[in-house]
């Protein structure tokens, strides 16, 4: 009997050791706090994926008393898990303290230390180390969501929006599939793009399950992080609306969406689009947008050229960007395009 127990204990210890030995597949860095692997899933050094969102073991999490289950939560530094603490049980207790047990509400005037039962000496990191955040992941009727709420100007208090998440009152009409943000080629060898499915699904849940909106004014870095700094990025969204699936790609420019996203379901009860005016040609806005896009690409290529001239290492991908498909230099080509675009005149017809 003792041999059997020692064998079981040995297996449990091996599993615990495996959980504590999480390393980045790209650079080999160890996870700074494996206990928070479900809320800090990316390498601090190279931004590679250390833990897939789908890897969470839901069987180890106690069932919720209501419809909303917090499956992981932490409070602390924005990026460094070694300066954060686990608050999942406390977050679930807050949810179940709500009458219907179907929402989490942390208003901006609520002191986070008091909320999580901490004193000042137990703060996960100091103000000098940066603002802290609350990260929480939820399970709602089989759909996983993730929210990140950041402290505002006052330490231990969230910004003006606070943190509010609730279960939609009726079944959702919009359900998101795989969504990622990063390099246009997506995840390559575990790096280059972040899985943002749960972050966006949280927005859908907050809308009552009917729409997803992201404006051009929102900072994508604040919303998703930056999976590949100093590179143009795409946001790819796969979705299902009442059984009909679709997908689209949104481009990022200087940390913001090039065009806003408005994805929603509207019952067809009458013609939804009435065309009052249509034009063909070049508008002032279209010319300015074309010039801006060329200037951004020129700035990026000039930076690569300067690094190369200084003898600094550049990637093969960056080197390839300096030439067109026919082997000619791309910078002079773009300079000619820019000069042409700057000479365009506004003109269109109805």
């Amino acid at each position: 009997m003792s041999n059997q127990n020692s064998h079981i204990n040995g297996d449990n210890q091996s599993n615990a050791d495996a959980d504590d030995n999480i390393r980045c597949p790209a650079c080999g860095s160890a996870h700074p706090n494996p206990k928070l692997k479900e809320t800090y899933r990316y390498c601090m050094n190279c931004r590679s994926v250390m833990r897939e969102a789908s890897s969470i073991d839901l069987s180890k999490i106690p069932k919720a008393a209501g419809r909303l289950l917090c499956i992981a939560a932490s409070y602390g530094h924005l990026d460094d898990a070694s300066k954060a603490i686990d608050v999942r049980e406390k977050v679930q207790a807050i949810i179940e303290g709500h009458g219907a047990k179907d929402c989490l509400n942390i208003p901006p005037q609520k002191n986070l230390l008091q909320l999580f039962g901490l004193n000042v000496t137990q703060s996960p990191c100091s103000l000098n180390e940066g603002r802290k955040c609350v990260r929480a992941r939820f399970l709602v009727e089989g759909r996983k969501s993730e929210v990140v709420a950041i402290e505002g100007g006052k330490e231990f208090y969230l910004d003006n929006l606070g943190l509010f998440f609730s279960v939609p009152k009726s079944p959702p009409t919009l359900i998101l599939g795989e969504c990622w943000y990063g390099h246009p080629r997506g995840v390559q060898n575990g790096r280059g793009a972040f899985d943002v499915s749960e972050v966006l699904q949280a927005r859908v849940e907050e809308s009552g399950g009917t729409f997803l909106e992201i404006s051009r004014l929102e900072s994508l870095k604040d919303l998703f992080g930056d999976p590949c700094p100093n590179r143009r990025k795409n946001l790819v969204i796969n979705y299902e609306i009442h059984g009909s699936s679709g997908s689209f790609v949104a481009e990022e420019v200087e940390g913001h969406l090039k065009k806003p996203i408005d994805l929603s379901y509207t019952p067809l009860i009458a013609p939804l689009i009435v065309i009052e005016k249509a034009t063909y040609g070049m508008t002032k806005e279209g010319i300015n947008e074309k010039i801006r896009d060329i200037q951004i690409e020129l700035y990026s290529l000039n930076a690569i050229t300067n690094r190369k001239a200084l003898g600094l290492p550049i990637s093969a991908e960056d080197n390839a960007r300096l030439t067109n498909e026919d082997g000619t230099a791309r910078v002079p080509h773009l300079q000619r395009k820019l000069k042409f675009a700057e000479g365009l005149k506004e003109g269109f017809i109805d």
Side-chain angles (χ1 to χ4, degrees), residues 39 78 132-136 138 146-150 158-159 162-163 199 202 206 222-223:
T39 50
L78 280 168
K132 295 178 280 294
C133 69
V134 176
R135 295 175 180 272
F138 303 100
E146 181 175 16
V147 295
V148 179
I150 304 174
L158 295 177
D159 63 19
L163 194 166
V199 175
E206 291 165 3
D222 289 346
L223 186 59

Side-chain angles (χ1 to χ4, degrees), residues 49 52 178 180 183-195:
V49 179
E52 296 287 351
E178 181 184 17
W180 54 263
H183 195 284
R185 294 181 183 174
V187 179
Q188 300 288 323
N189 299 319
R191 62 194 302 180
F194 290 165
D195 183 338

